[in-house]
Structure formats: structure tokens, C-alpha cells
Amino acid sequence: MKPEQDGKAIDVQGLHKSFGALEVLRGIDFSVARGEVVCVIGPSGSGKSTLLRCVNLLEEPSAGRVTVAGTEVTDPDVDIDRVRRRIGMVFQAFNLFPHLTALENLTIAQRRVLGRGRAEAERTARAHLERVGLGDKAAAYPAQLSGGQQQRVAIARALSMDPELMLFDEPTSALDPELVGDVLAVMRSLARDGMTMLVVTHEMSFAREVADRVVFMDGGVIVEEGTPEQVVGAPRHERTRAFLARVLDPAAAEVGEADEVP
Amino acid sequence: MPLSGQLSRRQRARIFRGAQYGVLVVAVAVFALVADWHQLRTAFFDVEIAKAMFPDIITTALVNTVLYTLLGFGFGLALGLVLALMRLSSVPPYRWIAITYIEFFRGIPALLVFIALGFGVPLAFEVALDMNITVMLSLGLVGAAYMAETIRAGIQAVPKGQMEAARSLGMSHGRAMVSIVIPQAFRIVLPPLTNELILLTKDSSLVYLLGLSLTQVELANFGRDALNEHKSLTPILVAGLLYLVITVPLGQLVRRLEARTAKAR
Ligand SMILES: Nc1ncnc2c1ncn2[C@@H]1O[C@H](COP(=O)(O)OP(=O)(O)OP(=O)(O)O)[C@@H](O)[C@H]1O
Ligand SMILES: [Mg+2]
């Protein structure tokens, strides 16, 4: 890893984002240190995905600065493709390329973007498939894999680009409950190896165990942040408490109390 | 509820089906009795005339039909892809050009394009276009308008997450289009594109307008010449059957491809 002036992997300042008249992010300031694992929690529609997507510029911020590993991505002159290579992203819906095998999903960007030769790309790809426990699925097409396997291939695909940080947007929300564990296990091992991770999740036990810091968002602002013990264990704000009560015991929610239970 | 003396639903269905077969048998019988079989046979199924058409109708006419169709399809597909990308461009003038082109060539008869390129261009510009080029341009210019709309729909049918995943791996927009979006779009539009190939096969008969030399005749033209020579409809029937030899398998292919896409979803 290159030494950075302040050791920050992600730095967000005064971030605003509107879709037409709808203001989704209303002034976000926060940062992620190198090697840190930060979990973002919050009710549906609070802007968690939008925040994540502003970090790699899949959404264009309306105002504010976003800096990733020392490069300001909101600079109009930035080579965004070059920055995105350094940021791995994992989507809720996996978004594997269905016309390519698992192995080809991992090699295509290595070859077309990084210019690696076939042999090197395949070697890297196989190592990463092995790492997520799918060494035997190299030749399988996404449609032949379970949701949990697809998500692990998607993680391996992002890792194949040797990213400096990883963004996860509810990586287990689309999975059957019995498949969630395998994906979380891969993420846990990544965190152990020192990967910088920004994770939007509803898996509170994962957040408690793995996160260095938990950020609670509601209504387009950060309501509170701190260690998992603070935010999940002893929340200071009423909105955080109400949200956690719903997430930790969904059956207890009353009709009308919450518009959407995650 | 079936009351006593009334028919059950199953009985009624059986009688109804029996009546349908009955009508069919009567109609066939009447036709067989009334028709003048001798005249029908000489007009449509004259084996001697049919035999005389072979092997030229295969080695020249069928081959030329396939050649003209493929020339038009290849050019039309390439131009159609360019038009589809222009239609989806973020630069407004490209969209306008593509829309105008598509509306224009979908709105005029293909026949007019053949006349324009076959006679209009050579007269106006005093150039003689090669026969194959004329056919390729005429069929392709019209086919491209239809294929552009098909391909555009296919590109838009690829989920947005595919482009986002490709971009988040650092691919440029163009690279993501070429490596990720367009290959998937073509899978989606393979059935309608094959249908377009069937339509072009039939439209290739329009070259008869251009006046063809002996080595250039295609199926329709060949049939027409033989009709004049033999004063029999047999050549037209044979030519028609040979079109089916091309189009029916293509139609089957479309159905197979559609079934495959349905299964993959
Ligand atoms: N491209 C878009 N155009 C218009 N509105 C959008 C767009 N993307 C998101 N929104 C809106 O922005 C708001 C925040 O969306 P976002 O996806 O960031 O929420 P979230 O916190 O990730 O919610 P969830 O937990 O449901 O994923 C929502 O009201 C959503 O409808
Ligand atoms: Mg979201």
C-alpha cells in the first residue's frame, strides 16, 4: 500500500445528493481509515446505498467532496475509471455477468482494464475463487450457482482487481437465510486480513463482531456513530433505538409504527 | 350441475369435436369431387417442367437468394448496431439523426429503395453500381432501420446493474458496452433478428426489378422466367417451396431460441 498523507481511505465532506426535488443526502461528513471496517445501518430509504454509490461515483454528488485514498473523485478532471479500479464494489443483486463463466467474470476486467495476460489473469482468478471457497466452480455460469455462491464469486471478482478498499451494499439481503453465513464468513476473513471495508448491512451480529465503527443514518444524515458497543449496544438517540428494536425483533413492530421494516 | 336427461360437459365436448371433424371431411370430399384434377395437375404439379428446372434453380437461383439475403443482412446488422448506439447516445444530434433515419426507412416501401439505388443513382450520378453492392445497400438500408430498433430494445433490456458492475471494475463506458452489454443484448435479440433474416429472404426477391443476367437470377426471378417459358404455375410452386426450405428451418430456429431464452430466465 502507498503511504497516504493522512491515512484515510475514504473522506467525505459536506456531501449532498438530490434526485430532482428529492434530497436524499443532506450533508454527510465522515471518513474511513485504512484497514478500518465501517458498517452503515439505517432504515430503508435513508440514503445508505446513495452514500456508497457516491464514493465510487456511480452517483454524481450534488455538492461536497469525496476523496478516496488521496484522490478526489469529485474533481471534474479526475480519471474516474482509474480511481474505480482501486475500489471494489459488491452489490445486493450480485450483478455477475451472466454470459461469462465464474472464471471469465473474474478475468475480463483484469485483462481489459489492467491489461494482464490470460495466464496471469487466470492464475489470480483461480486463487480468489479458491479463497471464497469456490475453486471447483470456475467453469460454472452464474445461473448454475446458488445466490450465496454468486455473491462469493462477485466478491472474488472485485478482489481480482487488487482493490485498496471494498464497498458492500447489503451483500446478504437477497440471500436465503441459510446462505448468508458463507458470504459473511468470506467478509469476516477479508476484514481479518486488513481490508478497508465500508459495509451497508442489516446483519447486526456481523456489525457487532467485525466492525470497528458503526454509522447510523436516517433521513439523509448521520444520526450517530461510534463503536458497535456504543451504537448497537447502547444507542444514545431515540431514532437509533427505535430502528434497532425493529431490526433485532421484526415481529414486535406494530403496523404504522415503521413504514418499512428492513 | 348435470340433471337427468342433459349431457355432461365431457359428452358435449366430444360431440362438438366430432362435428368439427365432420365439417372438415365433407369440405374435402366436395373439393375432391368438384375439382378438375387433370387441369390442376398440369398447372401446378407438372413433373416434367419441375425436373427441367433442376439443378439450375438450386445452383444459381437458391444460391443467389441466400447470397443477396446475407449481403443485405450483414450490412443491415452493422448499420443497425451503429444506429441503435446513436439512438441511445447522450449527444442529442446523434439521436435525432438515428430517429429520422429509422422513421424514414421504416416508412417507405423497400421497392422504392431498390428503384432509387438500381436506377436513380446510376442515372443521376452516372456511375454503375455493382449488382451485389446495389442489393446489399437496398436490402441493408431498409433492414437496418428495423434491426436498429430491435437492437436498441435489446440493449435497454440488459439490467442496469450490468453496466454498473462493469463500470465499478474500472471499465470505460465503451469497453463495458462492447464486453458486457452488447453480448447480452444480442442474446436477447437473437430471435427477432432471425425473424428479420426471414423477412429479408423474402424481400431479396425485389431484385427482379433490376434486370438480372443469367448468373444473377434468384428464386423469384428464376420462377418467373420458367413460367413464361412453360406457361405453367409449376415453376412458381417450386420456387415457393425452395423459399420455404430456407425460411421454415429459420422459423424453427427462432422458436428454439425463444424457448432457450425463456428457460434461462
Ligand atoms: N436513481 C434514483 N432516482 C430517484 N430517486 C432515487 C434514485 N436512487 C435512490 N432514490 C431515492 O433515494 C432515497 C434513498 O435511496 P437509497 O437507495 O440510498 O436508500 P437505502 O438507505 O439504501 O435504502 P434500502 O435499505 O431500501 O436499500 C429513496 O427514497 C430512493 O427512492
Ligand atoms: Mg440500499
Side-chain angles (χ1 to χ4, degrees):
Chain A
M1 261 181 226
K2 289 178 291 179
E4 295 297 337
Q5 55 276 48
D6 54 2
K8 279 181 187 166
I10 304 174
D11 188 42
V12 176
Q13 284 172 23
L15 178 64
H16 288 256
K17 173 66 187 177
S18 304
F19 294 105
L22 179 69
E23 195 175 14
V24 176
L25 297 180
R26 302 185 296 156
I28 303 268
D29 296 279
F30 97 117
S31 60
V32 178
R34 288 193 168 278
E36 198 180 16
V37 177
V38 175
C39 284
V40 181
I41 60 173
S44 182
S46 56
K48 307 180 298 291
S49 299
T50 308
L51 170 62
L52 215 61
R53 294 159 58 85
C54 281
V55 171
N56 70 351
L57 229 64
L58 283 183
E59 300 290 356
E60 188 100 35
S62 310
R65 277 165 63 104
V66 177
T67 309
V68 174
T71 307
E72 190 195 331
V73 297
T74 38
D75 177 354
D77 293 328
V78 78
D79 179 352
I80 190 62
D81 296 333
R82 183 170 281 278
V83 183
R84 285 197 184 119
R85 285 175 215 174
R86 298 153 62 190
I87 311 173
M89 178 131 183
V90 176
F91 301 84
Q92 182 174 353
F94 326 138
N95 296 356
L96 288 182
F97 306 132
H99 62 302
L100 302 177
T101 63
L103 188 76
E104 289 163 346
N105 263 276
L106 270 62
T107 54
I108 187 153
Q110 292 187 63
R111 302 196 59 201
R112 302 296 180 201
V113 177
L114 302 180
R116 287 182 185 159
R118 173 189 292 274
E120 188 195 355
E122 288 191 353
R123 202 172 338 108
T124 314
R126 284 185 197 284
H128 284 293
L129 282 177
E130 206 68 59
R131 167 169 197 177
V132 300
L134 294 171
D136 54 337
K137 298 291 184 190
Y141 283 91
Q144 298 166 321
L145 300 172
S146 76
Q149 292 171 332
Q150 288 189 50
Q151 191 61 297
R152 284 185 281 155
V153 172
I155 295 173
R157 175 175 70 180
L159 292 175
S160 299
M161 302 296 285
D162 299 331
E164 293 167 41
L165 60 141
M166 293 276 289
L167 309 174
F168 295 84
D169 190 359
E170 299 197 33
T172 57
S173 294
L175 298 177
D176 292 337
E178 76 270 22
L179 303 175
V180 169
D182 292 336
V183 173
L184 291 182
V186 169
M187 291 169 62
R188 207 175 286 125
S189 91
L190 260 181
R192 244 194 328 264
D193 292 350
M195 176 61 81
T196 308
M197 294 163 65
L198 180 57
V199 185
V200 175
T201 186
H202 292 301
E203 299 291 337
M204 288 306 149
S205 56
F206 176 82
R208 267 177 198 269
E209 180 200 333
V210 181
D212 299 305
R213 201 143 49 87
V214 174
V215 172
F216 173 69
M217 275 180 76
D218 194 8
V221 295
I222 293 178
V223 175
E224 78 177 277
E225 60 179 304
T227 64
E229 293 72 35
Q230 287 167 347
V231 177
V232 184
R236 281 176 291 131
H237 288 259
E238 182 48 41
R239 276 146 89 187
T240 320
R241 278 197 286 273
F243 170 75
L244 287 170
R246 293 202 306 272
V247 174
L248 296 174
D249 188 6
E254 301 284 337
V255 173
E257 180 194 61
D259 28 332
E260 268 165 296
V261 177
Chain B
M1 291 286 105
L3 301 170
S4 57
Q6 275 189 326
L7 297 170
S8 75
R9 237 193 21 220
R10 189 183 305 175
Q11 282 169 319
R12 257 182 300 164
R14 198 180 300 148
I15 290 173
F16 189 60
R17 192 149 10 119
Q20 285 178 308
Y21 276 111
V23 169
L24 189 66
V25 169
V26 171
V28 170
V30 168
F31 178 75
L33 290 174
V34 170
D36 179 343
W37 284 104
H38 180 72
Q39 205 202 334
L40 276 181
R41 216 186 70 84
T42 44
F44 283 108
F45 310 109
D46 193 317
V47 178
E48 288 310 311
I49 294 176
K51 266 190 189 155
M53 297 169 73
F54 287 86
D56 286 2
I57 193 165
I58 303 281
T59 54
T60 309
L62 183 73
V63 166
N64 278 336
T65 289
V66 171
L67 172 73
Y68 296 155
T69 305
L70 289 182
L71 282 174
F73 186 75
F75 176 62
L77 189 63
L79 183 58
L81 177 60
V82 172
L83 285 166
L85 292 173
M86 286 172 69
R87 179 86 170 70
L88 293 169
S89 164
S90 55
V91 184
Y94 281 129
R95 290 202 299 273
W96 300 334
I97 293 169
I99 291 171
T100 310
Y101 179 97
I102 291 166
E103 291 302 330
F104 182 80
F105 279 97
R106 278 201 313 191
I108 62 170
L111 188 64
L112 215 56
V113 180
F114 270 92
I115 293 173
L117 283 167
F119 303 110
V121 169
L123 285 177
F125 296 96
E126 295 178 357
V127 289
L129 286 181
D130 176 70
M131 174 69 193
N132 286 342
I133 302 274
T134 309
V135 178
M136 180 178 88
L137 290 178
S138 307
L139 282 177
L141 286 174
V142 177
Y146 289 93
M147 288 191 257
E149 283 296 85
T150 306
I151 295 169
R152 176 189 62 81
I155 290 175
Q156 287 180 322
V158 176
K160 228 176 87 223
Q162 292 292 308
M163 176 58 94
E164 290 184 347
R167 294 307 299 273
S168 73
L169 288 166
M171 291 191 203
S172 65
H173 181 86
R175 167 49 66 192
M177 269 298 196
V178 169
S179 292
I180 305 300
V181 177
I182 290 176
Q184 291 182 58
F186 265 99
R187 261 153 220 242
I188 296 171
V189 299
L190 216 50
L193 279 185
T194 313
N195 269 326
E196 187 60 32
L197 188 58
I198 294 174
L199 293 178
L200 279 180
T201 305
K202 298 187 289 178
D203 278 354
S204 70
S205 61
L206 287 172
V207 296
Y208 92 91
L209 262 186
L210 304 180
L212 302 169
S213 77
L214 267 182
T215 56
Q216 291 171 333
V217 292
E218 42 67 67
L219 283 174
N221 214 294
F222 193 96
R224 165 123 198 226
D225 291 347
L227 163 68
N228 287 343
E229 186 185 329
H230 300 292
K231 311 281 181 282
S232 160
L233 278 163
T234 304
I236 301 300
L237 186 83
V238 174
L241 287 175
L242 285 176
Y243 274 108
L244 293 180
V245 165
I246 304 171
T247 56
V248 170
L250 284 176
Q252 301 280 5
L253 181 67
V254 173
R255 228 159 299 143
R256 286 247 296 280
L257 291 171
E258 277 171 348
R260 197 192 66 177
T261 335
K263 209 161 52 185
R265 294 252 157 105

